[in-house]
Amino acid sequence: MNAGKLATGDLKTGLLSCTPAGAMILVRQIHGKDLSGLNALVIGRSNLFGKPMAQLLLNANATVAIGHSRSRDLPELARQADILVAAVGRAEMVKTDWLRPGVTVIDVGINRVAAPEKGDGKFKLVGDVAFAECKPVAQAISPVPGGVGPMTIAMLMANTVIAAHRRGGVTAPSF
Ligand SMILES: NC(=O)c1ccc[n+]([C@@H]2O[C@H](COP(=O)([O-])OP(=O)(O)OC[C@H]3O[C@@H](n4cnc5c(N)ncnc54)[C@H](OP(=O)(O)O)[C@@H]3O)[C@@H](O)[C@H]2O)c1
């Protein structure tokens, strides 16, 4: 029901998937509520994230493209984006030469990679975006860890508050 409501543009009466809802709050902090005239690329088309993220961006008036494993030239698609959202699950796939200067980058990916500098057999988390090389080019970029992950948890709490208000017959806050 919630997926159907989102697909038909009803953002008021259902509950939004937590990760895209949190990512949209990050986008809103940079660009405001109205994304008219901005190009957005979401890399990844999962039901959990890619599709709802694209629908939320579209609902906010962005011009939205969705990239995936069968896309022909992702770097070229990415260079057209004012807002680039990566949700693939491939460590540091997005490089600096994929970015248009001044782009807003939302990194959703969580990848565990070996970190021998921390000791034998140790791991660290990295995103789908090569953070260090992309940061100087971007207007804003979310880190991994510490970016979309905590926003997801915050939106889970927000959805809980909304659901509790509705069940109690009280007008729910919006986030
Ligand atoms: N921070 C958070 O709270 C949070 C929440 C959810 C997910 N995540 C992370 O976000 C990432 C994606 O999650 P998901 O559930 O959406 O994953 P998923 O269901 O595995 O979807 C991955 C998407 O990436 C695409 N893809 C795979 N390899 C690609 C490539 N080489 N080039 C372009 N596209 C490629 C796939 O394309 P096809 O459809 O063509 O196969 C698919 O659409 C994961 O790392 C996950 O851990 C983080």
Side-chain angles (χ1 to χ4, degrees), residues 18-60:
C18 298
T19 306
M24 277 306 286
I25 290 184
L26 297 178
V27 170
R28 204 193 298 157
Q29 287 200 330
I30 305 298
H31 297 284
K33 279 188 173 172
D34 185 1
L35 307 179
S36 294
L38 296 176
N39 292 338
L41 174 67
V42 181
I43 310 178
R45 57 177 168 177
S46 66
N47 289 328
L48 178 72
F49 184 83
K51 284 176 195 160
M53 185 70 203
Q55 285 160 346
L56 287 171
L57 288 162
L58 187 61
N59 190 274

Short mmCIF file of all heavy atoms in Angstrom, two decimals, residues 18-60:
data_model
loop_
_atom_site.label_atom_id
_atom_site.label_comp_id
_atom_site.label_asym_id
_atom_site.label_seq_id
_atom_site.Cartn_x
_atom_site.Cartn_y
_atom_site.Cartn_z
N CYS A 18 12.33 4.22 5.03
CA CYS A 18 13.17 5.07 5.90
C CYS A 18 14.42 5.62 5.21
O CYS A 18 14.76 6.79 5.39
CB CYS A 18 13.61 4.27 7.12
SG CYS A 18 12.24 3.75 8.13
N THR A 19 15.13 4.79 4.45
CA THR A 19 16.41 5.25 3.89
C THR A 19 16.20 6.36 2.85
O THR A 19 16.84 7.41 2.93
CB THR A 19 17.22 4.08 3.33
OG1 THR A 19 17.36 3.10 4.37
CG2 THR A 19 18.59 4.51 2.89
N PRO A 20 15.30 6.17 1.88
CA PRO A 20 15.08 7.29 0.95
C PRO A 20 14.50 8.53 1.64
O PRO A 20 14.85 9.66 1.27
CB PRO A 20 14.12 6.73 -0.11
CG PRO A 20 13.66 5.41 0.39
CD PRO A 20 14.62 4.94 1.41
N ALA A 21 13.64 8.32 2.63
CA ALA A 21 13.09 9.49 3.34
C ALA A 21 14.22 10.27 4.01
O ALA A 21 14.26 11.51 3.96
CB ALA A 21 12.06 9.04 4.37
N GLY A 22 15.18 9.56 4.62
CA GLY A 22 16.31 10.23 5.26
C GLY A 22 17.22 10.90 4.24
O GLY A 22 17.72 12.01 4.47
N ALA A 23 17.43 10.23 3.11
CA ALA A 23 18.27 10.83 2.06
C ALA A 23 17.63 12.11 1.53
O ALA A 23 18.33 13.09 1.23
CB ALA A 23 18.47 9.82 0.93
N MET A 24 16.30 12.12 1.45
CA MET A 24 15.62 13.34 0.95
C MET A 24 15.79 14.50 1.91
O MET A 24 15.85 15.65 1.48
CB MET A 24 14.12 13.06 0.73
CG MET A 24 13.79 12.40 -0.57
SD MET A 24 14.42 13.25 -2.05
CE MET A 24 13.34 14.66 -2.16
N ILE A 25 15.87 14.22 3.20
CA ILE A 25 16.09 15.31 4.16
C ILE A 25 17.47 15.92 3.92
O ILE A 25 17.63 17.15 3.96
CB ILE A 25 15.91 14.82 5.60
CG1 ILE A 25 14.42 14.53 5.84
CG2 ILE A 25 16.43 15.85 6.60
CD1 ILE A 25 14.07 14.12 7.25
N LEU A 26 18.45 15.08 3.62
CA LEU A 26 19.79 15.62 3.30
C LEU A 26 19.72 16.47 2.04
O LEU A 26 20.30 17.57 1.98
CB LEU A 26 20.79 14.47 3.12
CG LEU A 26 21.05 13.59 4.35
CD1 LEU A 26 22.03 12.46 4.00
CD2 LEU A 26 21.60 14.42 5.50
N VAL A 27 19.03 16.00 1.02
CA VAL A 27 18.89 16.76 -0.23
C VAL A 27 18.20 18.10 0.04
O VAL A 27 18.62 19.16 -0.45
CB VAL A 27 18.10 15.96 -1.29
CG1 VAL A 27 17.73 16.83 -2.49
CG2 VAL A 27 18.88 14.73 -1.74
N ARG A 28 17.16 18.05 0.87
CA ARG A 28 16.38 19.25 1.18
C ARG A 28 17.24 20.31 1.89
O ARG A 28 17.07 21.50 1.69
CB ARG A 28 15.19 18.86 2.08
CG ARG A 28 14.03 19.82 2.02
CD ARG A 28 13.04 19.56 3.14
NE ARG A 28 12.44 18.25 3.07
CZ ARG A 28 11.92 17.61 4.12
NH1 ARG A 28 11.92 18.16 5.31
NH2 ARG A 28 11.40 16.43 3.98
N GLN A 29 18.18 19.83 2.72
CA GLN A 29 19.05 20.79 3.43
C GLN A 29 19.92 21.59 2.47
O GLN A 29 20.29 22.71 2.75
CB GLN A 29 19.95 20.04 4.41
CG GLN A 29 19.19 19.54 5.62
CD GLN A 29 20.12 19.25 6.78
OE1 GLN A 29 21.27 18.89 6.56
NE2 GLN A 29 19.64 19.39 7.98
N ILE A 30 20.24 21.00 1.33
CA ILE A 30 21.10 21.69 0.37
C ILE A 30 20.27 22.48 -0.63
O ILE A 30 20.59 23.63 -0.94
CB ILE A 30 21.98 20.66 -0.41
CG1 ILE A 30 22.78 19.79 0.56
CG2 ILE A 30 22.91 21.38 -1.39
CD1 ILE A 30 23.75 20.53 1.45
N HIS A 31 19.19 21.89 -1.13
CA HIS A 31 18.47 22.47 -2.26
C HIS A 31 17.08 22.98 -1.93
O HIS A 31 16.40 23.52 -2.81
CB HIS A 31 18.35 21.43 -3.39
CG HIS A 31 19.67 20.99 -3.94
ND1 HIS A 31 20.41 21.77 -4.80
CD2 HIS A 31 20.39 19.87 -3.73
CE1 HIS A 31 21.54 21.13 -5.11
NE2 HIS A 31 21.57 19.99 -4.47
N GLY A 32 16.62 22.80 -0.71
CA GLY A 32 15.26 23.18 -0.36
C GLY A 32 14.27 22.12 -0.82
O GLY A 32 14.66 21.05 -1.29
N LYS A 33 12.96 22.46 -0.69
CA LYS A 33 11.93 21.46 -0.97
C LYS A 33 11.67 21.29 -2.45
O LYS A 33 11.23 20.23 -2.90
CB LYS A 33 10.61 21.90 -0.31
CG LYS A 33 10.53 21.55 1.16
CD LYS A 33 9.14 21.83 1.69
CE LYS A 33 9.02 21.33 3.12
NZ LYS A 33 7.81 21.69 3.78
N ASP A 34 11.89 22.35 -3.21
CA ASP A 34 11.53 22.32 -4.64
C ASP A 34 12.78 22.13 -5.49
O ASP A 34 13.65 23.00 -5.51
CB ASP A 34 10.81 23.63 -4.99
CG ASP A 34 10.30 23.62 -6.41
OD1 ASP A 34 10.48 22.60 -7.13
OD2 ASP A 34 9.71 24.64 -6.82
N LEU A 35 12.86 21.01 -6.17
CA LEU A 35 14.05 20.68 -6.97
C LEU A 35 13.83 20.99 -8.45
O LEU A 35 14.51 20.42 -9.32
CB LEU A 35 14.41 19.20 -6.77
CG LEU A 35 14.57 18.75 -5.31
CD1 LEU A 35 14.90 17.26 -5.24
CD2 LEU A 35 15.65 19.56 -4.59
N SER A 36 12.92 21.91 -8.74
CA SER A 36 12.64 22.28 -10.14
C SER A 36 13.92 22.64 -10.86
O SER A 36 14.75 23.40 -10.35
CB SER A 36 11.71 23.50 -10.18
OG SER A 36 10.46 23.18 -9.66
N GLY A 37 14.08 22.11 -12.06
CA GLY A 37 15.23 22.47 -12.90
C GLY A 37 16.48 21.68 -12.61
O GLY A 37 17.47 21.80 -13.34
N LEU A 38 16.48 20.86 -11.55
CA LEU A 38 17.68 20.09 -11.20
C LEU A 38 17.60 18.67 -11.76
O LEU A 38 16.55 18.03 -11.75
CB LEU A 38 17.84 20.02 -9.67
CG LEU A 38 18.07 21.36 -8.97
CD1 LEU A 38 18.10 21.16 -7.46
CD2 LEU A 38 19.36 22.00 -9.45
N ASN A 39 18.74 18.20 -12.28
CA ASN A 39 18.83 16.80 -12.75
C ASN A 39 19.31 15.92 -11.61
O ASN A 39 20.29 16.26 -10.93
CB ASN A 39 19.86 16.68 -13.87
CG ASN A 39 19.41 17.37 -15.14
OD1 ASN A 39 18.22 17.59 -15.34
ND2 ASN A 39 20.36 17.72 -15.99
N ALA A 40 18.63 14.80 -11.43
CA ALA A 40 19.04 13.83 -10.39
C ALA A 40 19.28 12.49 -11.04
O ALA A 40 18.53 12.07 -11.93
CB ALA A 40 17.95 13.72 -9.32
N LEU A 41 20.33 11.81 -10.60
CA LEU A 41 20.56 10.42 -11.02
C LEU A 41 20.59 9.55 -9.77
O LEU A 41 21.36 9.83 -8.83
CB LEU A 41 21.90 10.28 -11.76
CG LEU A 41 22.28 8.83 -12.09
CD1 LEU A 41 21.33 8.23 -13.12
CD2 LEU A 41 23.72 8.73 -12.59
N VAL A 42 19.75 8.53 -9.76
CA VAL A 42 19.80 7.51 -8.71
C VAL A 42 20.43 6.27 -9.34
O VAL A 42 19.91 5.74 -10.33
CB VAL A 42 18.39 7.17 -8.20
CG1 VAL A 42 18.47 6.11 -7.09
CG2 VAL A 42 17.66 8.42 -7.71
N ILE A 43 21.56 5.83 -8.78
CA ILE A 43 22.17 4.59 -9.29
C ILE A 43 21.71 3.46 -8.38
O ILE A 43 22.01 3.46 -7.18
CB ILE A 43 23.71 4.67 -9.31
CG1 ILE A 43 24.17 5.96 -10.01
CG2 ILE A 43 24.27 3.46 -10.05
CD1 ILE A 43 25.69 6.13 -10.03
N GLY A 44 20.97 2.52 -8.94
CA GLY A 44 20.34 1.44 -8.17
C GLY A 44 18.83 1.53 -8.32
O GLY A 44 18.27 2.62 -8.25
N ARG A 45 18.18 0.39 -8.54
CA ARG A 45 16.73 0.39 -8.78
C ARG A 45 16.02 -0.61 -7.89
O ARG A 45 15.04 -1.25 -8.30
CB ARG A 45 16.45 0.08 -10.25
CG ARG A 45 17.05 -1.23 -10.73
CD ARG A 45 16.68 -1.53 -12.17
NE ARG A 45 17.48 -2.63 -12.69
CZ ARG A 45 17.33 -3.15 -13.90
NH1 ARG A 45 16.43 -2.65 -14.72
NH2 ARG A 45 18.10 -4.14 -14.31
N SER A 46 16.52 -0.76 -6.66
CA SER A 46 15.86 -1.72 -5.75
C SER A 46 14.52 -1.18 -5.27
O SER A 46 14.28 0.03 -5.27
CB SER A 46 16.77 -1.98 -4.54
OG SER A 46 16.90 -0.81 -3.77
N ASN A 47 13.65 -2.10 -4.85
CA ASN A 47 12.36 -1.69 -4.29
C ASN A 47 12.53 -0.98 -2.95
O ASN A 47 11.78 -0.08 -2.60
CB ASN A 47 11.45 -2.91 -4.09
CG ASN A 47 10.98 -3.45 -5.42
OD1 ASN A 47 10.79 -2.71 -6.38
ND2 ASN A 47 10.81 -4.75 -5.49
N LEU A 48 13.59 -1.39 -2.22
CA LEU A 48 13.83 -0.82 -0.88
C LEU A 48 14.32 0.62 -0.98
O LEU A 48 13.95 1.48 -0.18
CB LEU A 48 14.86 -1.67 -0.15
CG LEU A 48 15.27 -1.20 1.24
CD1 LEU A 48 14.13 -1.44 2.23
CD2 LEU A 48 16.53 -1.92 1.70
N PHE A 49 15.19 0.89 -1.94
CA PHE A 49 15.77 2.23 -1.99
C PHE A 49 15.64 2.93 -3.35
O PHE A 49 15.10 4.04 -3.43
CB PHE A 49 17.25 2.22 -1.58
CG PHE A 49 17.77 3.62 -1.55
CD1 PHE A 49 17.56 4.42 -0.45
CD2 PHE A 49 18.40 4.17 -2.67
CE1 PHE A 49 17.96 5.75 -0.45
CE2 PHE A 49 18.81 5.49 -2.67
CZ PHE A 49 18.60 6.28 -1.55
N GLY A 50 16.17 2.34 -4.41
CA GLY A 50 16.30 3.07 -5.67
C GLY A 50 14.98 3.62 -6.20
O GLY A 50 14.86 4.81 -6.51
N LYS A 51 13.98 2.73 -6.28
CA LYS A 51 12.69 3.18 -6.83
C LYS A 51 12.02 4.24 -5.95
O LYS A 51 11.63 5.29 -6.45
CB LYS A 51 11.77 1.99 -7.06
CG LYS A 51 12.14 1.18 -8.29
CD LYS A 51 11.25 -0.04 -8.42
CE LYS A 51 11.82 -1.03 -9.42
NZ LYS A 51 11.26 -2.37 -9.22
N PRO A 52 11.89 4.01 -4.62
CA PRO A 52 11.26 5.07 -3.83
C PRO A 52 12.07 6.38 -3.82
O PRO A 52 11.49 7.46 -3.81
CB PRO A 52 11.14 4.47 -2.42
CG PRO A 52 11.96 3.23 -2.42
CD PRO A 52 12.06 2.77 -3.83
N MET A 53 13.40 6.28 -3.87
CA MET A 53 14.20 7.52 -3.91
C MET A 53 13.90 8.30 -5.18
O MET A 53 13.72 9.52 -5.15
CB MET A 53 15.69 7.17 -3.85
CG MET A 53 16.60 8.38 -3.76
SD MET A 53 16.44 9.18 -2.15
CE MET A 53 17.00 10.84 -2.50
N ALA A 54 13.84 7.60 -6.31
CA ALA A 54 13.55 8.26 -7.57
C ALA A 54 12.16 8.91 -7.53
O ALA A 54 11.97 10.03 -8.01
CB ALA A 54 13.63 7.26 -8.72
N GLN A 55 11.21 8.22 -6.91
CA GLN A 55 9.85 8.77 -6.83
C GLN A 55 9.80 10.01 -5.94
O GLN A 55 9.09 10.97 -6.23
CB GLN A 55 8.88 7.69 -6.34
CG GLN A 55 8.59 6.67 -7.43
CD GLN A 55 8.05 5.36 -6.89
OE1 GLN A 55 8.13 5.07 -5.69
NE2 GLN A 55 7.51 4.55 -7.77
N LEU A 56 10.56 9.99 -4.85
CA LEU A 56 10.58 11.16 -3.96
C LEU A 56 11.22 12.36 -4.66
O LEU A 56 10.75 13.49 -4.54
CB LEU A 56 11.34 10.84 -2.67
CG LEU A 56 10.61 9.92 -1.68
CD1 LEU A 56 11.55 9.50 -0.55
CD2 LEU A 56 9.38 10.62 -1.12
N LEU A 57 12.30 12.10 -5.40
CA LEU A 57 12.95 13.19 -6.14
C LEU A 57 12.01 13.75 -7.21
O LEU A 57 11.90 14.97 -7.40
CB LEU A 57 14.25 12.69 -6.78
CG LEU A 57 15.40 12.41 -5.81
CD1 LEU A 57 16.46 11.52 -6.45
CD2 LEU A 57 16.05 13.74 -5.36
N LEU A 58 11.31 12.84 -7.90
CA LEU A 58 10.36 13.27 -8.93
C LEU A 58 9.24 14.09 -8.32
O LEU A 58 8.84 15.14 -8.85
CB LEU A 58 9.79 12.02 -9.62
CG LEU A 58 8.90 12.22 -10.83
CD1 LEU A 58 9.66 12.92 -11.95
CD2 LEU A 58 8.39 10.87 -11.32
N ASN A 59 8.77 13.63 -7.16
CA ASN A 59 7.71 14.34 -6.47
C ASN A 59 8.15 15.76 -6.08
O ASN A 59 7.32 16.67 -5.99
CB ASN A 59 7.30 13.54 -5.24
CG ASN A 59 6.06 14.08 -4.60
OD1 ASN A 59 6.11 14.99 -3.78
ND2 ASN A 59 4.92 13.57 -5.03
N ALA A 60 9.46 15.92 -5.86
CA ALA A 60 9.99 17.25 -5.51
C ALA A 60 10.40 18.04 -6.76
O ALA A 60 11.11 19.03 -6.67
CB ALA A 60 11.18 17.10 -4.56
#
